[in-house]
Amino acid sequence: MVAKQGWAQSDSLQVDTTEQRPNYRRLRAIFAGQSILYAGTLVGLSKAWYKNDPTHFKIKDDTYEWLQMDKMGHLYTSYQIARHTAAIYKTAGISKRQMIVYGAVSGIIFQTPIEILDGFSPDYGFSPGDMIANVAGSTLFYGQMALWDEIRIQPKFSTHFTGYSKVRPGLLGETPAERLLKDYNGQTYWFSGSPKSFLPGSKWPAWLCLSVGYGIDGMVSAETNLSREMGYKPGRQFYLSIDVDLTKLNTRSKFLKTLAFITNSIKIPAPALVVSGKGIQFAPLYF
């Protein structure tokens, strides 16, 4: 239900629906800070990520790679940028519509130049699939806020170490940080939601969520056929677990509310059912 006045709860994005004058000084400061961060990120990427000199712009269809796990990463990242940016803009006292639009647009704008840089890189190429995933992530944020005035379905992330990085450390990571980021076999992307959000009259706790996850296994190459040639059995994995919406836990502490909002992007370790080509398995504690 959308409140007509006062505060309307939306994830931890509490939208002030009363009339108020925006804080233009803070708004300009946010624009400036966002621009500096944006430019710095692009400069850093261009020096650290793109080792070779740029070439002519090319398009590469990579939707078949990594069983689309990288596309899930793009969706998740775009969504989180939109969610956090909207929360920052909310502090400037702008309207709800402006807040969610600025957030959603930021999620797309922040990643689009990276896709363009990929297009000029001899090692990559502009990926239409990546752009679609970027737009989908921001749309997922905007759509929920526009439709429900709150976030009911939270994209979340978890990751753990696997032994596959030892097979191809150059591709799947050498250091612990690289392994967590590059080894898709250990990553899971989740969609968590509390039944209470859809059934407000139920006795289900608002903070207790059901979570559906997606991951892969056996991928030591971006392509499934190459992974099979190396003796592995690549495949998709689906998960069903429970989760906690940290923003729904009652606390008066502003610090704890902020911490809950930030960490609510991570799936907590919990028991899970794992569905794969091997059948249905139970993990007592999965992360």
Side-chain angles (χ1 to χ4, degrees), residues 20-274:
Q20 63 175 335
R21 181 179 176 82
N23 186 330
Y24 290 108
R25 177 178 295 181
R26 178 172 294 180
L27 193 58
R28 287 192 293 268
I30 293 173
F31 275 128
Q34 190 176 25
S35 300
I36 293 172
L37 176 63
Y38 186 60
T41 300
L42 291 180
V43 171
L45 278 175
S46 63
K47 292 183 177 181
W49 189 263
Y50 304 100
K51 302 294 185 181
N52 299 319
D53 294 333
T55 60
H56 65 280
F57 186 83
K58 64 180 182 294
I59 296 176
K60 178 184 178 181
D61 179 15
D62 62 353
T63 53
Y64 60 90
E65 294 183 351
W66 297 113
L67 294 176
Q68 296 78 52
M69 272 295 286
D70 58 324
K71 303 299 176 282
M72 295 294 293
H74 280 268
L75 183 152
Y76 171 85
T77 301
S78 182
Y79 171 87
Q80 295 299 339
I81 292 174
R83 184 173 79 99
H84 286 82
T85 303
I88 294 172
Y89 275 112
K90 181 258 172 184
T91 64
I94 60 177
S95 68
K96 168 199 167 184
R97 183 177 182 277
Q98 289 175 313
M99 182 190 78
I100 63 176
V101 168
Y102 288 169
V105 170
S106 294
I108 298 172
I109 289 180
F110 192 86
Q111 298 200 93
T112 297
I114 298 175
E115 309 302 339
I116 295 174
L117 287 174
D118 281 351
F120 286 103
S121 171
D123 302 318
Y124 303 103
F126 179 86
S127 169
D130 287 355
M131 274 305 305
I132 292 173
N134 294 339
V135 173
S138 288
T139 301
L140 180 59
F141 169 78
Y142 179 87
Q144 292 190 78
M145 290 295 295
L147 179 62
W148 297 320
D149 200 35
E150 66 177 352
I151 299 299
R152 296 185 180 181
I153 301 173
Q154 291 273 5
K156 295 192 176 185
F157 174 76
S158 67
T159 183
H160 60 269
F161 294 113
T162 75
Y164 295 112
S165 58
K166 297 179 181 179
V167 179
R168 300 191 67 185
L171 179 66
L172 301 178
E174 298 181 6
T175 66
E178 287 181 345
R179 291 171 62 189
L180 291 175
L181 291 173
K182 291 184 176 182
D183 186 2
Y184 289 119
N185 298 283
Q187 299 178 6
T188 307
Y189 289 96
W190 303 84
F191 294 93
S192 295
S194 174
K196 180 75 171 182
S197 298
F198 299 93
L199 302 170
S202 71
K203 296 183 179 180
W204 186 281
W207 54 266
L208 182 59
C209 300
L210 297 178
S211 193
V212 177
Y214 174 68
I216 61 174
D217 185 58
M219 291 291 288
V220 293
S221 170
E223 301 179 25
T224 54
N225 61 326
L226 294 180
S227 295
R228 292 192 184 98
E229 290 176 5
M230 295 179 68
Y232 294 88
K233 297 180 179 180
R236 307 176 191 273
Q237 293 185 327
F238 301 91
Y239 307 87
L240 178 62
S241 182
I242 57 174
D243 190 26
V244 173
D245 186 341
L246 299 174
T247 66
K248 298 293 177 64
L249 298 176
N250 292 326
T251 177
R252 295 182 180 180
S253 170
K254 290 184 178 181
F255 171 78
L256 291 179
K257 287 182 179 180
T258 301
L259 183 63
F261 179 81
I262 294 173
T263 57
N264 209 42
S265 57
I266 300 174
K267 167 73 169 61
I268 66 167
L273 290 177
V274 184

